[in-house]
Amino acid sequence: MASESMATIPVEGGRIACRRIGSGRPLVILNGLAATSADWDPSFIDRLASANELVLLDNRGIGASPDDGAPFDIDQLADDTARAIEALEFERVSVLGWSMGGFIAQTLALQHPTRIDKLILLSTDPGGVDAELASPTVRSQLTDTSGTPREQARRLLSLLFPPVLADSIYRQFGDIVANARAQLSPDLVKRQAAAMDAWHRDGTGGQLRKLRAPTFVAAGTEDIVIPASNALKLVNAIPGAWLAQFKDGGHAFMAQYPRPLADLINGFLAL
């Protein structure tokens, strides 16, 4: 495990906590709905940290990033990330975003193109009318904070992984996930969900063709949270984008294929 340090960046209405791990090219890592920087698969993160300096953020209001409880949108989360990059004195960084983190990464790359070296989009969509959404049942379950922490953990893992894996992952990691759910603020989940709903109304507004940062897009073929068809939509919209699809991968496919995915990303960043 690479050594790590912590930093806290003041932003309007709150603070953004950053974990820094590894050395090399700077890679900012943005997590998804209701997830913190501590929730990534450790083997995936360690593999990335072997070749890059990772900056893992907690989005405002979650984990170690307290805020004032006000509503926010994806633009605000992208601005928070830009302020963190500036405060850490990076001239240019690459950015990896998973799920909602991918919404933030796209927005950041469009709003601050001179600061972004390369872009990595995992299990995400372009927003707006171009995005293919999950079923209403899945969307409802994704933001459901009812029940005990263990019940929440089982429900969440059934969304993140294909059925053949979800039970075994729950047996292995259910306690860890349940502990994280016990610390989660239902209000924060509602605010993040509202930001995601607005993204799916407005999205990037067709601006992805303006992106000039080299972009790598990857998805699991069995993702029910953000259907894998969205990866193809992103690749078709972003000039020169790469695409990788992982067979039988769920929404959290980086935990199913940590080394192959990290190796692909490291190779992409080394080009």
Side-chain angles (χ1 to χ4, degrees), residues 32-45:
L33 175 77
T36 74
S37 66
D39 293 331
W40 291 96
D41 179 86
S43 56
F44 176 62
I45 291 302

Side-chain angles (χ1 to χ4, degrees), residues 134-219:
S135 71
T137 298
V138 167
R139 296 204 304 274
S140 174
Q141 289 177 342
L142 194 64
T143 56
D144 186 354
T145 55
S146 67
T148 67
R150 288 197 69 87
E151 289 169 340
Q152 292 183 47
R154 182 179 284 279
R155 186 165 58 234
L156 177 63
L157 292 172
S158 73
L159 298 176
L160 297 182
F161 297 99
V164 293
L165 283 178
D167 285 344
S168 65
I169 291 174
Y170 177 76
R171 287 193 297 271
Q172 286 181 273
F173 303 108
D175 289 342
I176 295 172
V177 177
N179 183 59
R181 298 299 291 189
Q183 300 175 47
L184 187 62
S185 160
D187 174 70
L188 183 277
V189 176
K190 290 178 182 177
R191 289 189 288 146
Q192 286 191 340
M196 292 174 64
D197 287 345
W199 169 261
H200 286 125
R201 288 193 301 271
D202 306 324
T204 55
Q207 297 182 71
L208 288 177
R209 296 194 182 281
K210 299 178 183 177
L211 278 178
R212 292 298 174 261
T215 302
F216 173 77
V217 179

